[in-house]
Amino acid sequence: MAPAVGIILMLIITIILAAIVGSQFLSSDVTDLQKPSFAAFEATTETGINNEEPEIPIVILQKTAGDQLSQEYEEGTHSGIKGTEIYLFDPAGERHEVINSIYMTGKEVETAEKFYIFYFNHYDGNFWITNDKVRVTEGGVEYFDPSGQWRLQIIGAYSNQILLDKKLQL
């Protein structure tokens, strides 16, 4: 009789634990869960792109492989990009957020698509990204201040995974 009581007791404990786990799962909000993105990027610097100031360095960012990435921002504004955080760290280690230029278009980051990160002092921000090459060839761009070794970091905001961490001479 004693083994039967032990089995019944274990069965009751198993049912109680299953009910607790089930209630936790059902009460959680799973609508905010996002599939993590895995993408590879390459970043280089190049001078000679801007027609007015050909010696100014511009960062060229290119997705080389991985999942399709969606960009969440409002075209025609400096809304910032949700889902992907882009930061530049100056030579002193201060972090600066890179936000979308009003000239950025498209909602998907395609493999081999080029993006241009540049400095331009503006009341909405100083560090910008665009996929419109005309913005950096003919538009106002300025020297990264201070010049020296900077660090570019791209983070998948939903997965909190670092997609790129690279030192650049700017």
Side-chain angles (χ1 to χ4, degrees):
M1 189 84 167
V5 172
I7 292 173
I8 293 173
L9 185 58
M10 286 182 59
L11 183 61
I12 291 172
I13 291 173
T14 303
I15 292 171
I16 292 172
L17 286 174
I20 292 171
V21 169
S23 69
Q24 291 294 321
F25 178 74
L26 292 174
S27 68
S28 67
D29 183 10
V30 295
T31 60
D32 289 338
L33 297 178
Q34 299 285 333
K35 177 183 172 249
S37 295
F38 300 102
F41 288 91
E42 181 57 44
T44 57
T45 59
E46 197 170 312
T47 58
I49 292 177
N50 187 268
N51 297 331
E52 297 169 10
E53 299 280 347
E55 64 280 353
I56 292 179
I58 295 169
V59 177
I60 299 175
L61 181 65
Q62 196 168 10
K63 183 178 146 214
T64 57
D67 293 340
Q68 184 170 345
L69 298 176
S70 294
Q71 301 180 107
E72 301 170 36
Y73 68 95
E74 188 176 334
E75 286 187 7
T77 68
H78 298 147
S79 63
I81 301 171
K82 298 176 188 160
T84 306
E85 299 169 359
I86 304 172
Y87 298 108
L88 281 168
F89 294 84
D90 64 28
E94 186 176 343
R95 184 177 82 170
H96 308 275
E97 183 176 6
V98 177
I99 61 175
N100 63 296
S101 164
I102 61 172
Y103 299 99
M104 179 116 97
T105 59
K107 298 292 184 178
E108 303 297 325
V109 179
E110 301 295 335
T111 300
E113 182 178 7
K114 289 186 179 181
F115 291 85
Y116 306 91
I117 298 175
F118 61 97
Y119 178 85
F120 180 71
N121 190 358
H122 187 274
Y123 61 86
D124 279 344
N126 297 328
F127 302 92
W128 305 96
I129 186 168
T130 186
N131 56 358
D132 183 359
K133 189 173 183 178
V134 173
R135 173 62 186 90
V136 293
T137 57
E138 299 176 12
V141 294
E142 300 171 6
Y143 287 96
F144 285 85
D145 186 30
S147 64
Q149 188 171 19
W150 288 63
R151 186 171 138 214
L152 173 64
Q153 193 173 69
I154 301 174
I155 300 170
Y158 299 124
S159 65
N160 209 25
Q161 179 159 353
I162 296 174
L163 303 174
L164 177 75
D165 191 352
K166 184 166 184 178
K167 294 178 182 177
L168 301 167
Q169 191 65 33
L170 299 170

